[in-house]
Amino acid sequence: MESLSHTLLFSWLADVKSNPFQYQGKTLSKHREETADGYVTRLRCVYQSPNQQAALSVAIGQLNQDLSLAIIERDTGLLCVEVCCDSPLSLTQLQLISSVEGVETFAISNKQARLNQPGLLVMDMDSTAIEIECIDELAVMAGVGDAVAEVTERAMQGELDFEESLRARVAQLKGADEAIIQTLCNELPLMPGLVESVNVLQSYGWKLVVASGGFTPFVGHLKQLLGLDAAFANELVIENGTLSGTVSGQVVDAQFKADTVLKCAKEWGIAEGQRLAIGDGANDIPMIETADYGIAYHPKPKLEQAADVAISKLNLKALPFLLVLD
């Protein structure tokens, strides 16, 4: 057999009764997700459409060693094939798989968080759970968009102290009508894949929390909309129907978000190894590092360096594939 037909490969994978598959002198066998902990290499290839299967099957065939494969299913709308072997893959082999267009690869360890055990996910909100930065949108509605957006970007890149930048941006909103808050709540764009991932995690009893450097009306909206277990953010001061340009109470900064992981895990009795966090910016680094498994979502460079894994090609539908069933 000179070439590996993707139709043949994926038909073989779907056939529960089929025997190991011989290809160019190598053996492709199959495993079940819950039996994969013993492999040295465990790589998940997540993709959007069967259209990616042709290129993916070619890449799998070119790894040139005995492999065990499994179809991994999560109810998010994405597809996944797990590739396992008894030896490490070389950098060249890893690049061969990860370079397939439309396919995102994730290395899975034997200590990966278990989806079917109690767990905690703490999420950033702006540009992670939702597609926008709320303060930037409020600023546009208040007529001070450009000035605030520049400060926001510098803060997310880690160039400015978060609390200082927050207060400076909020000060620009002084005098704005409080009605802009409800208007934005009504139009809040959820990040693609958020609902699907939340549904999967909640179906297994996971605790879900938003910890945001944004503002309480928006995290409250998400909490109610998605049935989240807790939500933390900054409190905008409103006086006589207008924004005062200040926040009250403790600022939800990077350290607060990190502390939220530990506090919520203790409150709900979440075991070590089952505490996850996800974010996109430098302000999420302490939270990501405090969690047992830190996920960077389409991240700024500094966060990607600090995280255990990055979702860079796909949307949040990929998140449940980072967890394993046993």
Side-chain angles (χ1 to χ4, degrees), residues 41 43 63 89-99 105 107:
T41 295
L43 193 68
L63 294 179
L89 293 179
S90 68
L91 179 59
T92 299
Q93 288 173 314
L94 290 172
Q95 290 175 337
L96 183 65
I97 292 288
S98 62
S99 64
T105 58

Side-chain angles (χ1 to χ4, degrees), residues 198-259:
V198 164
N199 288 343
V200 170
L201 293 175
Q202 288 177 332
S203 73
Y204 285 94
W206 274 55
K207 298 293 187 180
L208 303 180
V209 176
V210 170
S212 172
F215 307 111
T216 52
F218 308 113
V219 298
H221 177 78
L222 284 181
K223 183 174 183 291
Q224 181 177 14
L225 181 66
L226 300 174
L228 306 180
D229 297 282
F232 305 95
N234 296 297
E235 186 74 37
L236 287 168
V237 176
I238 299 173
E239 298 175 342
N240 300 318
T242 62
L243 278 64
S244 71
T246 61
V247 293
S248 64
Q250 183 176 359
V251 169
V252 177
D253 58 8
Q255 188 58 51
F256 186 102
K257 295 167 80 168
D259 293 343

Side-chain angles (χ1 to χ4, degrees), residues 165-309:
S165 69
L166 173 70
R167 294 189 185 279
R169 288 176 290 171
V170 171
Q172 296 285 336
L173 301 178
K174 184 176 180 179
D177 192 319
E178 68 171 332
I180 64 175
I181 294 175
Q182 187 58 51
T183 297
L184 187 55
C185 274
N186 294 341
E187 301 172 351
L188 208 61
L190 302 184
M191 189 64 70
L194 175 66
V195 172
E196 291 85 350
S197 287
V198 164
N199 288 343
V200 170
L201 293 175
Q202 288 177 332
S203 73
Y204 285 94
W206 274 55
K207 298 293 187 180
L208 303 180
V209 176
V210 170
S212 172
F215 307 111
T216 52
F218 308 113
V219 298
H221 177 78
L222 284 181
K223 183 174 183 291
Q224 181 177 14
L225 181 66
L226 300 174
L228 306 180
D229 297 282
F232 305 95
N234 296 297
E235 186 74 37
L236 287 168
V237 176
I238 299 173
E239 298 175 342
N240 300 318
T242 62
L243 278 64
S244 71
T246 61
V247 293
S248 64
Q250 183 176 359
V251 169
V252 177
D253 58 8
Q255 188 58 51
F256 186 102
K257 295 167 80 168
D259 293 343
T260 297
V261 175
L262 301 179
K263 178 181 177 181
C264 289
K266 182 178 180 180
E267 178 181 351
W268 293 316
I270 305 300
E272 290 188 17
Q274 293 290 111
R275 305 169 301 186
L276 276 61
I278 184 169
D280 71 293
N283 190 52
D284 297 312
I285 290 175
M287 178 179 74
I288 291 296
E289 292 180 335
T290 298
D292 301 311
Y293 191 62
I295 305 166
Y297 181 72
H298 292 262
K300 304 295 189 295
K302 288 185 178 181
L303 178 65
E304 185 168 10
Q305 293 173 7
D308 294 294
V309 68

Side-chain angles (χ1 to χ4, degrees), residues 23 69 76 85 89 142 145 153 164 167 188 265 287 316 318:
Y23 172 62
L69 307 179
T76 68
C85 57
L89 293 179
E153 180 61 23
E164 181 181 5
R167 294 189 185 279
L188 208 61
M287 178 179 74
L316 287 177

